[in-house]
Amino acid sequence: MKKIAFYGKGGIGKSTTAANVSAALSLQGKKVCQIGCDPKNDSTRLLLGHICKETVLDKVRTCEMDSIKAEDIVHTGFNGITCVEAGGPEPGVGCAGRGIIVALQLLDKLKAVPPVDVTLYDVLGDVVCGGFAMPIREEYAEEIYIISSGELMSLYAANNIAKGIKRFASRGSVRLAGIIGNSRNTPNEKELLEAFARKLNSRLVAFVPRDQIVNVAENQRQTVLQFAPESRQAEIYIKLAETIWNNTELSVPTPMEFEELEALATEYGKEP
Ligand code: ADP
Ligand code: MG
C-alpha cells in the first residue's frame, strides 16, 4: 500500500488537490482512503458531497471510547473512496495536533479503515508541531508531497515542513516525494517553484494552474473530476495522480535557511 501525505500552508489548496487526486486514482481503479488531519475537517467535503459532521474527535468527545465503532468514523464517498476526518478541538480549547494523534491511534485500534491501495493524509502544515508531524513521525505516511504556490509565506511553510521531513527521514522510511505547485499567479511562479524544489533536493511534480472551474465545482460540492471530467483542469489532476502512483524519486530534503529562501524569491519573483 502507498502511504502518502499532502502538507502545506493553510488555504494553499491541499484538500482540493487531495480530493481531486483521490478521485482520479479511484477512477484509475485504485482503492483509496483520504484522511483529513486539519481541524477545518473539510478535507473530504468534495468526495462526500457534504461537510463531514462525524469526525473521529467528535465521537471521542461525545461517546464512551469503547462504544465507538468503525462505521461511526469511516465514511464512503465518491466512487467508493473511504473518507475520514480526524476533526479538531473546540476553538480555544485543547491542542489540534494532539487530536490527530488520538484520532490516528483510534483508527488503528479499531482497524477501522478497510484494505486500500493508497492512503492519502491531508495535513495542515503551518506548524509542524508534534501532532501535525505525527503522520510522518510514526510513519503513517512515507511519501510526502508539499503543496506550495510562489508566495513567500507558502514557500516558508513548505521549507519548514521539509525540515520536519528531514528530521524523521534520518531514522526511518519517510521521504520527500515532491513539490506540487498550486498556482497563485505570482511572477515566474513555475520557474521559482522548480528552483525551490531543486534546492530542497526534490522536484516539481506538477504545476496546477489557478482555474475558476475549481471554485465552480466546489460550489456544487464536487471535485473537478466529477463536475467537469473532460476539462483541462481534470486532465492535470489525472496526470498528477498517475505521477504520484508511479513516483519512485524519493529524497531526503535539504531545507534552506530563511535568507536563502528570501534570495530565491528575490531572484525569481521580479516582474515578468
Ligand atoms: P487547504 O486544504 O490547503 O486549506 P483548500 O483546498 O481548502 O486549501 O483550498 C482553498 C481554496 O482555494 C478553496 O476555495 C479552493 O477551491 C481554492 N483552490 C484551490 N486550488 C485551486 C486552483 N488550482 N484554482 C482555483 N482555486 C483553487
Ligand atoms: Mg484543507
Side-chain angles (χ1 to χ4, degrees), residues 5 7 33-38 56-57 60 65 73 84-87 96-113 119-123 130-141:
Y7 274 79
C33 173
Q34 183 168 318
I35 303 185
C37 302
D38 185 326
V56 181
L57 289 182
V60 169
M65 205 62 161
I73 50 177
V84 178
E85 292 286 348
R98 174 75 204 137
I100 289 163
I101 300 177
V102 172
L104 295 186
Q105 284 171 343
L106 182 62
L107 285 172
D108 273 356
K109 188 173 148 228
L110 294 177
K111 297 190 170 51
V113 175
T119 304
L120 203 169
Y121 296 86
D122 170 9
V123 197
F132 290 109
M134 160 83 165
I136 33 184
R137 190 184 68 208
E138 300 297 320
E139 300 191 0
Y140 280 94

Side-chain angles (χ1 to χ4, degrees), residues 14-15 38 40 42 122:
K14 295 178 297 296
S15 301
D38 185 326
K40 259 199 289 179
D42 63 347
D122 170 9

Side-chain angles (χ1 to χ4, degrees), residues 11-16 40 182 209-211 214-215 218 233:
I12 198 59
K14 295 178 297 296
S15 301
T16 308
K40 259 199 289 179
N182 196 32
R210 193 152 192 89
D211 191 322
V214 175
N215 311 106
E218 178 183 55
Q233 194 77 1

Side-chain angles (χ1 to χ4, degrees), residues 101-265:
I101 300 177
V102 172
L104 295 186
Q105 284 171 343
L106 182 62
L107 285 172
D108 273 356
K109 188 173 148 228
L110 294 177
K111 297 190 170 51
V113 175
V116 288
D117 301 308
V118 188
T119 304
L120 203 169
Y121 296 86
D122 170 9
V123 197
L124 181 65
D126 290 77
V127 278
V128 196
C129 71
F132 290 109
M134 160 83 165
I136 33 184
R137 190 184 68 208
E138 300 297 320
E139 300 191 0
Y140 280 94
E142 290 174 333
E143 302 177 23
I144 316 298
Y145 292 88
I146 307 177
I147 309 212
S148 183
S149 70
E151 288 172 312
L152 185 59
M153 282 308 116
S154 155
L155 295 167
Y156 176 76
N159 191 51
N160 272 346
I161 294 159
K163 287 181 186 171
I165 299 170
K166 185 186 172 193
R167 173 163 303 121
F168 299 116
S170 63
R171 61 174 210 217
S173 55
V174 165
R175 295 291 179 271
L176 178 58
I179 307 297
I180 298 171
N182 196 32
S183 176
R184 280 287 168 90
N185 292 324
T186 65
N188 302 310
E189 194 170 31
K190 186 161 183 252
E191 293 72 21
L192 170 57
L193 284 163
E194 279 167 345
F196 174 73
R198 269 198 306 278
K199 286 264 190 193
L200 288 189
N201 189 32
S202 187
R203 68 187 173 117
L204 188 66
V205 290
F207 183 69
V208 180
R210 193 152 192 89
D211 191 322
Q212 281 194 9
I213 192 82
V214 175
N215 311 106
V216 175
E218 178 183 55
N219 291 336
Q220 302 305 317
R221 304 191 194 91
Q222 289 180 19
T223 59
V224 178
L225 270 284
Q226 296 155 267
F227 184 76
E230 306 297 327
S231 63
R232 205 171 74 90
Q233 194 77 1
E235 202 181 305
I236 283 159
Y237 292 125
I238 290 167
K239 203 158 156 259
L240 173 57
E242 284 167 356
T243 304
I244 288 174
W245 181 256
N246 294 314
N247 193 4
T248 53
E249 287 181 48
L250 310 175
S251 69
V252 176
T254 51
M256 283 170 264
E257 294 298 326
F258 181 71
E259 289 72 19
E260 208 182 335
L261 176 64
E262 221 177 15
L264 203 67

